[in-house]
Amino acid sequence: MKDITCFSANVLAQFDNKYDNMLEFNSLMMDASNSVYEKYSKEDTQTILRKQFDKILGLNFKEANSMKRRQAWRDHNKEIATLIEDVIADKMNSGWNTANARFMEYVDERNIAEGDANEFFVEDNSLLTVSKFAGNHHDIVRASVKPGKAFSIDTSFYGVKVYTDFVLFQTGKVDFAALVDKMYKSIEENRYAALYTAFMGMDASLPTDMILQTAVSESTKDSIIAQIEAVAAATGKDVILVGTRPAIQKLQGTVNYNMFSDSMKDERNQNGILGNWEGYECLPLARVNKAGTRENVFSAEDQKKIFILPVDPEFKPIKRVNEGDVMYYETGMDGLKKDMTVDAEVVYQEGIGVVINELFGEIKIAT
């Protein structure tokens, strides 16, 4: 938690000028954001949090009219932000969707807030290319990296809307865990969109002999297996097949269902996909929509790719840097917005890039 000097005199006064009280409140917020209720019940926890925010704002938020709420927010918004920033930052570092946890094994993370350096080192020259993703558009900037050199990832600013979600919590329409989840949702959507875009574009530097473009059918199965074995021989490691769910399902469709064992049929029935194909482990990537849309982050071309990746805990081609410090800013309180709305945001800074320093292969499904 921040040092006591980071908080205003008003905030300190509402905690009876006792830093231990602030630490206890912070701990309560952290637990509530993860739906952990040990000292108090869920209902009591929500009441304690709302009442404390009310004390800082200087009014009963739920009963106040919209004008008084805006006035209180205008006077004390940054004080509220100093309290919730730690919770958002914690969620940013621990809130990865478990459905994509296996994919995160290919991500090398640096959290500068925890003292890590924004520095990566490449020892060999297998495929020395870095792709940097700038801003919300994930514009790809490619650059070469010399072997035996350190490099850093450029970072950009991203924002999370705060005011509207805070109103939902303070008026009792959502609990604190839902408040944090709503704020964090756009962060996670944006992150996965960038991570997947980076991941699916890392074949740009592959040698042509590592790529097999082929129709996927029972008749081409032998050539696909031959390509997988060629990649395994080139890397000197076991390999895993990674791609979008439709791509993996199409590959597995090359095996006649009548040839499935009973256990395979049960697995297919329960999961819609098998964990292995012809002795090779498969990792289907869960669909993620672009932030704020219902549009799939995977392009039509992405859904034709199946990567043949070495099974190596050191193979982490995606590099993510979290600057860590969370900031706050807003627009609308000056009355200049014609719709009289308030845009308050918690802003964070991070960067995502790709560095390939180990060979891998690819199957491109031809249609």
Side-chain angles (χ1 to χ4, degrees):
M1 185 179 175
K2 302 177 184 68
D3 186 86
I4 192 171
T5 58
C6 296
F7 300 94
S8 70
N10 175 57
V11 171
L12 295 176
Q14 305 314 320
F15 286 98
D16 300 325
N17 293 302
K18 294 181 179 178
Y19 189 54
D20 286 346
N21 291 345
M22 300 182 72
L23 291 175
E24 184 175 353
F25 184 74
N26 180 266
S27 178
L28 196 63
M29 284 194 301
M30 291 291 187
D31 286 344
S33 71
N34 294 300
S35 299
V36 174
Y37 305 103
E38 295 179 345
K39 188 173 183 179
Y40 304 101
S41 68
K42 178 178 178 179
E43 183 178 351
D44 288 344
T45 298
Q46 309 306 319
T47 299
I48 292 170
L49 296 179
R50 290 188 181 102
K51 283 185 176 181
Q52 190 61 44
F53 287 135
D54 275 350
K55 289 174 66 176
I56 293 168
L57 292 169
L59 83 169
N60 184 316
F61 197 94
K62 186 175 183 178
E63 296 180 3
N65 60 36
S66 58
M67 183 182 71
K68 289 187 178 297
R69 289 176 183 175
R70 285 171 57 86
Q71 291 173 338
W73 184 263
R74 178 185 61 208
D75 293 338
H76 302 289
N77 53 70
K78 292 179 177 60
E79 294 172 336
I80 298 295
T82 58
L83 291 171
I84 66 174
E85 285 168 348
D86 284 342
V87 184
I88 298 297
D90 178 74
K91 191 73 171 178
M92 287 168 63
N93 293 325
S94 61
W96 291 110
N97 187 327
T98 55
N100 297 287
R102 182 71 187 278
F103 168 76
M104 292 305 296
E105 293 179 7
Y106 297 106
V107 180
D108 188 358
E109 298 192 80
R110 296 284 192 276
N111 187 348
I112 297 177
E114 295 179 352
D116 292 340
N118 180 1
E119 185 174 86
F120 300 88
F121 188 81
V122 177
E123 295 181 352
D124 58 53
N125 60 351
S126 299
L127 292 169
L128 296 176
T129 299
V130 57
S131 298
K132 298 180 180 180
F133 292 75
N136 289 317
H137 300 292
H138 306 148
D139 297 325
I140 301 175
V141 181
R142 300 192 186 278
S144 61
V145 180
K146 294 182 180 180
K149 297 290 186 180
F151 64 94
S152 61
I153 296 295
D154 291 342
T155 58
S156 302
F157 285 99
Y158 302 90
V160 185
K161 300 295 184 183
V162 173
Y163 179 72
T164 302
D165 295 334
F166 180 76
V167 170
L168 292 177
F169 167 70
Q170 206 64 11
T171 54
K173 295 179 181 178
V174 298
D175 62 23
F176 193 74
L179 165 68
V180 175
D181 285 344
K182 285 175 71 66
M183 292 179 179
Y184 178 69
K185 182 180 179 181
S186 63
I187 295 177
E188 185 174 73
E189 286 180 344
N190 187 74
R191 279 179 165 178
Y192 274 127
L195 289 170
Y196 276 164
T197 300
F199 186 80
M200 297 308 290
M202 68 182 187
D203 58 344
S205 301
L206 271 181
T208 55
D209 64 321
M210 291 289 101
I211 301 173
L212 173 66
Q213 185 161 350
T214 179
V216 174
S217 65
E218 191 171 357
S219 63
T220 62
K221 186 170 64 174
D222 288 346
S223 63
I224 293 172
I225 292 174
Q227 177 68 13
I228 296 171
E229 285 299 300
V231 174
T235 63
K237 298 179 175 68
D238 292 333
V239 294
I240 181 173
L241 308 180
V242 183
T244 64
R245 190 178 185 89
I248 296 295
Q249 285 179 319
K250 189 157 190 173
L251 179 68
Q252 294 186 352
T254 60
V255 178
N256 192 306
Y257 185 77
N258 294 327
M259 301 295 291
F260 281 20
S261 66
D262 289 342
S263 61
M264 290 170 65
K265 291 178 180 178
D266 287 342
E267 183 182 3
R268 178 73 170 269
N269 182 56
Q270 292 177 14
N271 303 326
I273 207 161
L274 300 177
N276 291 273
W277 175 82
E278 297 297 286
Y280 303 105
E281 185 180 1
C282 297
L283 174 60
L285 300 178
R287 169 174 169 152
V288 171
N289 289 340
K290 295 179 181 179
T293 75
R294 293 191 295 275
E295 184 181 353
N296 193 346
V297 70
F298 294 123
S299 69
E301 288 303 310
D302 290 340
Q303 298 191 64
K304 298 175 183 177
K305 298 178 180 181
I306 299 174
F307 290 136
I308 309 167
L309 303 182
V311 177
D312 181 356
E314 299 301 316
F315 181 64
K316 294 180 180 291
I318 312 302
K319 314 297 181 183
R320 189 184 76 84
V321 174
N322 175 23
E323 292 281 8
D325 291 335
V326 179
M327 296 154 285
Y328 174 87
Y329 78 93
E330 66 182 26
T331 58
M333 276 301 173
D334 53 11
L336 295 179
K337 295 190 69 173
K338 293 181 180 179
D339 59 3
M340 296 301 291
T341 57
V342 177
D343 286 340
E345 292 185 321
V346 168
V347 179
Y348 64 99
Q349 190 173 3
E350 72 176 22
I352 292 172
V354 184
V355 174
I356 310 299
N357 65 346
E358 189 169 347
L359 276 174
F360 66 97
E362 179 182 14
I363 301 163
K364 280 189 176 180
I365 300 175
T367 56

